[in-house]
Amino acid sequence: MGDSAYSFSLTTFSRTGKLLQIEYALNAVANGRTALGIAAVDGVVIATDKKFASALVEGEDVSKVEAITDSSGFVYAGVGPDYRVLVRKARKSAQAYFREYRETKPVAQLVKSTASVMQEYTQSGGVRPFGVSLLVAGIDGDGVPRLFQVDPSGAYFGWKATAIGKNYVNAKNFLEKRFQDDMELEDAIHTALLTLREGFEGEMNGHNIEVGVVSKSDGKFRLLTPEQIQDYLDEAN
Amino acid sequence: MSRDSNYDHHISIFSPQGRLYQMEYAFKAASSASGLTGIALRGKDTCVVVTQRKVPDRLVVPSSVSHVFNITSKIGCLATGMIADCHSAIQRARYEAADFEFKYGYSIPPAVLAKRMADIAQVNTQSASMRPLAVVMMIVGVDEEKGPQVLKVDPAGHFLPFKGTASGAKEQEATNFLEKRVESIPEYSFDETVRTAIVCLGSVLGSDFRGSEIEVAVVQGVQGKFQSLTEEEIEGHLNAIADEND
């Protein structure tokens, strides 16, 4: 990062005081496929669709939702290859934290360090900002479910429920109507699926959506299997 | 300087719409630079790659014109795009594979290599000092646990596993051909895999060819080695295809 030939920042202020590269990066995110998250009282759910350009893709093991520690995970909207860089760095930093403190890195710390990396890429020489927004879901030792959004600028926000990517405005309105402060994880999962359905083209099934869940009961972040997702969809019908 | 979006066409920064023009141009270069089409397919226990061999001049030694490469003895790659960039990418892939085996003591699985090459490609889309390589790599190998795999890595740093895929000038037509057979492809025997790939190339190019005009390379089974078919072997398959059509 900050390569030899370019020792100057590519992201510079415009005459009106804007950092245009960051705004353009946000446009790249807004063109990406929708991802959403809901923080319930006893867990967090994050979800996104899983659509490939061709039926020839072997999609079973390909995943946008990724676990970072045992109890936290990411999902994104935007430029896939950039996301992989952030996942790798987050996992490495979580492992370094564990090596030093012998405790799982708390969600808020994970968010801060990832956000810091994203900010560096808006200021360092010779690089462009990341074209992704992240949703970070996790539960710390204190048992409090947490959902954060991190933007290309490096700004981060805690959310009760949110959506990013295409169609995020409609999705957020939908979530605002349905979110309750005392919502439980099961309801949250149903609501997440209903919200995804709003912008979904075609029939939703266990194989064309991804859902990541972390529950207070065991504190483990896991991906729902296609069968489990299908069960939730069947219940909704 | 870079606030002028004039530069978004020159280096890897975002355009106002959030697009990365350098990456899109790299894709164009990769598809049209060589004018070739390449196809990769995986059957029950076999992976095959097929592409045209266009020798530009009668005095050129034909065996030196190739887009098919070994990365290890078991993992091969069809690299379409600008040939010099292909050589650079292959050299790096060979290094990464060898380094993995040195560090971890076992041969690199095809998907791990593909991810590594994709992550390397991503760096060029985010760092302005080097342009993306105009190469689409189709890495093929038989994984010990997952069986035969085809992984396509593109200039943007995307990579996906495929049952079958194509790249280059006639990518779309070839993909359509393969999509029609998507259910049966994973069960194909060695011969079916090889012949379907050859027939696919023939149908999108709209012409027949001789054994010397295409390159075909295969790897079969976990113990198999990735190697190119000889001209005689290719002729054998072409004859079998012709017989089936009669």
Side-chain angles (χ1 to χ4, degrees), chain A residues 28-229:
Chain A
V29 171
N31 291 335
R33 294 214 305 277
T34 316
L36 53 88
I38 304 178
V41 294
D42 59 341
V44 193
V45 56
I46 48 179
T48 184
D49 64 4
K50 187 171 175 168
K51 283 211 178 131
F52 300 109
S54 169
L56 291 164
V57 175
E58 305 218 73
E60 292 80 50
D61 297 325
V62 177
S63 191
K64 289 199 288 189
V65 177
E66 297 269 24
I68 305 295
T69 67
D70 284 338
S71 52
S72 59
F74 284 3
V75 74
Y76 77 101
V79 180
D82 289 6
Y83 173 66
R84 290 203 312 270
V85 175
L86 293 169
V87 167
R88 174 182 290 245
K89 286 188 197 267
R91 285 174 172 161
K92 215 167 169 182
S93 107
Q95 191 61 30
Y97 184 99
F98 182 78
R99 198 176 131 205
E100 182 138 0
Y101 300 111
R102 274 297 187 251
E103 280 181 12
T104 310
K105 187 164 186 172
V107 182
Q109 298 278 353
L110 190 59
V111 166
K112 282 198 186 137
S113 52
T114 308
S116 175
V117 167
M118 291 168 82
Q119 188 283 335
E120 279 171 27
Y121 276 69
T122 68
Q123 199 175 15
S124 294
V127 291
R128 63 163 172 79
F130 285 94
V132 295
S133 278
L134 298 174
L135 290 181
V136 184
I139 291 197
D140 296 332
D142 61 2
V144 176
R146 291 191 161 84
L147 175 67
F148 287 92
Q149 174 179 343
V150 192
D151 276 348
S153 57
Y156 60 90
F157 319 92
W159 288 94
K160 298 175 188 175
T162 188
I164 50 176
K166 246 184 248 205
N167 208 37
Y168 78 97
V169 178
N170 291 339
K172 280 174 86 159
N173 288 337
F174 194 90
L175 285 170
E176 239 178 288
K177 289 199 195 90
R178 280 181 172 52
F179 183 80
Q180 315 270 0
D181 279 317
D182 58 357
M183 206 173 210
E184 288 186 356
L185 187 55
E186 291 294 299
D187 288 327
I189 297 175
H190 280 292
T191 308
L193 293 172
L194 280 173
T195 316
L196 264 183
R197 178 172 286 169
E198 285 294 298
F200 203 88
E201 285 159 28
E203 193 68 37
M204 268 190 2
N205 61 53
H207 292 279
N208 56 23
I209 26 175
E210 294 181 50
V211 181
V213 166
V214 57
S215 153
K216 201 168 163 177
S217 58
D218 63 354
K220 295 251 170 300
F221 181 87
R222 57 196 164 85
L223 270 123
L224 296 187
T225 66
E227 292 74 34
Q228 287 170 319
I229 298 176

